[in-house]
Structure formats: C-alpha cells, structure tokens
Amino acid sequence: MTTFSRGSGRTERLVLPGVLTAEQVTGTVAGIAAAQREDGAIPWFRGHHLDPWDHVEAAMALDAAGEHGRAEAAYRWLARHQNSDGSWYAAYADGAADEPTDRSRESNFVAYVAVGVWHHYLATGDDAFLDSMWPTVYAAVEFVLRLQQAGGQIGWKREDDGTPVTDALLTGSSSIHQALRCALAIAEHREEPQPDWELATGLLAHAIRRHPERFLDKSRYSMDWYYPVLGGAVAGVAAKERIEEGWDRFVVPGLGVRCVLPNPWVTGGESCELALALWVMGESDHAVQILQWIQHLRAEDGMYWTGYVYDDDAVWPEERTTWTAGSLLLAAAALGGDEATTAVFGGERLPVGLEPDCCPGA
C-alpha cells in the first residue's frame, strides 16, 4: 500500500465553495488514510469494526482523491478474505479478517464490491486490476442472486448457519441494483456477457419501481426515501415526485437530513447520500446546499461526526467515521465532475433498459 500523498492533483475536483477548500479536502482524505490498516482494511475508525459496504465507500473516496494505491489495497483486502461462498461477514473487529464480530452475510454489503471495482477501473484504466478482481466480483454477485426472490427483490442476508433471510430491504435492494449494473458493465467490458444477471437486474428494478409491498416497511428511514433514486432504479419524473413527497418529512433546513422519523437527529451519511441523489436528478444547487448545511458536523481533524441531535444541541454518537467522510467526498466528486464518480452514480457506461416488459406477478 502506498503512503498518503498530500496535494494530489485530483483533489481539485473535490473543492466546492462553502463546502470544502483545498486544505480541507486534504485533511479529510488524510483522515480516511489514517484509519486504514497496513493490510488495506478500512474500519469505521481505528478500534471500531469494518463492514464491507462502508469499507468500499471509503475506498471509492480515496480513488476520487487520487489515492489509487490505497484504494487498490482496500479491494485486495476483500479479494484475499472473501468467503468460499462469495460473501464477506457483516462485521470484522477493527478490520481484522480473523475476527468477525457478526458472521451473518448481508446481500447489499456483498454486492457493493462491484461498484467499487468498476469505479477504480474507471479512475485508473487498470485492466490488469479489473481482470484480477473479476473472480471476486463474479462470486459476490452469484452469492447475492441466490438470495433473489420470485418477485425480484433480494433477501436481506444469510445467517451464520446458512439460513437465508428472505425478507427484503428497499434500501439494500436499491444499492444492489446499482451494484448489479456495475457488475454487468465489468462483464461487458470483459466481453463475458451475463444474461442471467441482466434478467435478475430487470426483475429487481421492476420490484423497486412498482411493488413496495415486496419490501419490509422501513418508511421511517430516510434511506428508503432516496435510495431508489440513488441506486438508479427510479429516475426522471418519478424520482422528482418521490423526493418532493418526502422532503418536508426528512430535510431539516440548515442542518441536514434526518436518519429516522420522528427522531430529531440529522446524520452526515444520509445528508451526503441525499446530495448525491439530488445530483443524479440534475438538482446540483440543492445538492450543494445540503453539503453546505452539514459542515457543522466537521471536526478539527477533517473528519465528520456521524450525527447531531438538534433538540439537545448534542453531537451523537461521538464518533467520526471513514464512511461519513467518504460519502461527503464522493458527493463533492460528482458535483465537481470527477469522471469515474459521475459514471458510476450518474449511470454513464452502465446498462439501461433492463426491466422486462412484463414480470411474474406484475
């Protein structure tokens, strides 16, 4: 793994007026790098656990900042420690592969490697990396699709003993939708078409767009509100209507986005992801405004507090996570025109039109 390189030229695209100066970008990237272990693992913060989804999110932020060696080390960690069934455990103590603290295997955690690997390839053009990671991505996608239900939705996880949990989460399935499109883009680039994956992605998109009853009701959570847009399943007029419908419930002007209703708690991660979803919709001004609002969560070390309880004027929990900082940098990268980030989240170079004309139980 390479050492952190201050002042990478790519960080210029992460500078946003009222959000991040060049110096602040450098501080935030350095904060993520400081949490990364020598073996490439990126825990939430040193001494806390690693989960595979947030590990990838932080690695993508490092790539957006030009820290490609560090990002590659993060993906190599996943390749080395993938389970034989294509999965990873839900949590590892401080990123120690031999110390899983949650041995369930969550489908959206497993799928996200495809997004990160495709993002890294688009950022670097490294075909050798893409070739070497293909078996990892392939095995991960196959694990995930074995949890797909007849209605298209993806079961939440497998327990440690292998028992599938068939209940589906809308946020998780929306994230998987993005991951499957990235996996298909990798397959297409390698000229190894995966028609079964295409069908599965189309069925999943259909469920997300038209069958909310196929998912557990988590409508109190803001992620269920914006993730179908962020994951690319809901677009155009439908996306605009969805975001407008939930805006007054979840957005706290001047502070950010609530994590869950009715709690008076805004969180950095959800705020940054909403900003990225707004950018996807072409609402860049609103996206920048959200990012400006959450600068009250910025700590002196350049990292970001997870959240703020505004009724009590209290930072809570008292933690500064790599994934919160990573989500901010990715939103800034998209707004700044970083090509890899815009391609992955904006849908460029991803397959479209996969939803079939009719589906079982439509």
Side-chain angles (χ1 to χ4, degrees):
M1 184 176 67
T2 59
T3 58
F4 171 65
S5 54
R6 292 184 177 273
S8 170
R10 287 180 62 87
T11 60
E12 294 176 1
R13 290 187 176 180
L14 305 183
V15 174
L16 282 177
V19 178
L20 290 170
T21 65
E23 183 179 4
Q24 288 173 328
V25 171
T26 298
T28 301
V29 176
I32 297 173
Q36 188 174 25
R37 290 162 46 115
E38 286 298 318
D39 63 359
I42 309 177
W44 285 22
F45 50 86
R46 292 313 304 267
H48 200 24
H49 75 255
L50 172 154
D51 74 70
W53 196 100
D54 290 312
H55 169 86
V56 170
E57 185 86 341
M60 291 171 67
L62 290 171
D63 259 330
E67 294 294 328
H68 303 311
R70 285 187 169 276
E72 180 174 344
Y75 298 123
R76 298 296 186 194
W77 186 92
L78 289 171
R80 288 195 305 273
H81 302 302
Q82 189 172 32
N83 294 323
S84 60
D85 64 358
S87 71
W88 293 274
Y89 295 122
Y92 300 82
D94 198 27
D98 58 349
E99 295 184 51
T101 55
D102 182 346
R103 299 181 70 93
S104 65
R105 289 152 285 163
E106 298 192 19
S107 53
N108 69 299
F109 282 13
V110 174
Y112 207 48
V113 65
V115 181
V117 167
W118 185 234
H119 182 260
H120 182 79
Y121 170 73
L122 294 175
T124 63
D126 188 345
D127 279 297
F129 167 83
L130 197 66
D131 290 344
S132 68
M133 289 297 297
W134 171 243
T136 300
V137 171
Y138 185 91
V141 170
E142 290 292 302
F143 171 86
V144 170
L145 292 184
R146 286 193 292 272
L147 284 166
Q148 188 165 35
Q149 306 303 300
Q153 71 274 26
I154 307 291
W156 176 15
K157 63 181 178 179
R158 285 191 184 275
E159 301 289 10
D160 184 25
D161 64 1
T163 302
V165 176
T166 57
D167 290 336
L169 302 173
L170 180 58
T171 294
S173 286
S174 297
S175 177
I176 291 169
H177 177 264
Q178 181 193 22
L180 290 175
R181 292 174 72 202
C182 289
L184 284 166
I186 296 170
E188 181 180 353
H189 180 78
R190 290 175 50 80
E191 299 183 350
E192 295 188 29
Q194 302 294 325
D196 289 347
W197 294 5
E198 292 181 10
L199 177 60
T201 305
L203 292 171
L204 176 58
H206 179 85
I208 292 169
R209 291 168 185 155
R210 307 186 192 186
H211 290 283
E213 76 280 359
R214 294 178 184 171
F215 302 90
L216 293 176
D217 182 6
K218 300 289 183 179
S219 57
R220 294 193 307 121
Y221 291 83
S222 59
M223 287 191 295
D224 263 26
W225 165 50
Y226 63 75
Y227 239 98
V229 177
L230 180 57
V234 176
V237 173
K240 182 176 177 61
E241 291 176 347
R242 185 180 188 90
I243 295 303
E244 287 180 347
E245 183 276 329
W247 189 270
D248 290 338
R249 289 185 293 126
F250 290 112
V251 175
V252 183
L255 293 178
V257 177
R258 286 183 174 191
C259 176
V260 58
L261 299 175
N263 299 359
W265 181 44
V266 295
T267 50
E270 278 78 359
S271 298
C272 294
E273 288 181 336
L274 175 61
L276 194 48
L278 290 168
W279 171 82
V280 169
M281 295 166 53
E283 299 284 346
S284 293
D285 289 346
H286 285 142
V288 171
Q289 185 178 51
I290 295 286
L291 297 182
Q292 290 172 337
W293 286 349
I294 64 164
Q295 293 313 304
H296 67 95
L297 295 175
R298 186 177 179 88
E300 291 183 0
D301 63 356
M303 299 295 280
Y304 286 77
W305 298 104
T306 296
Y308 173 72
V309 182
Y310 49 87
D311 277 3
D312 298 331
D313 188 25
V315 168
W316 185 84
E318 293 189 9
E319 61 183 30
R320 303 181 301 280
T321 54
T322 51
W323 52 266
T324 299
S327 66
L328 177 83
L329 292 177
L330 287 172
L335 285 159
D338 177 69
E339 292 181 5
T341 306
T342 59
V344 165
F345 289 98
E348 299 172 27
R349 300 184 67 178
L350 295 183
V352 296
L354 295 174
E355 184 177 349
D357 293 334
C358 61
C359 301

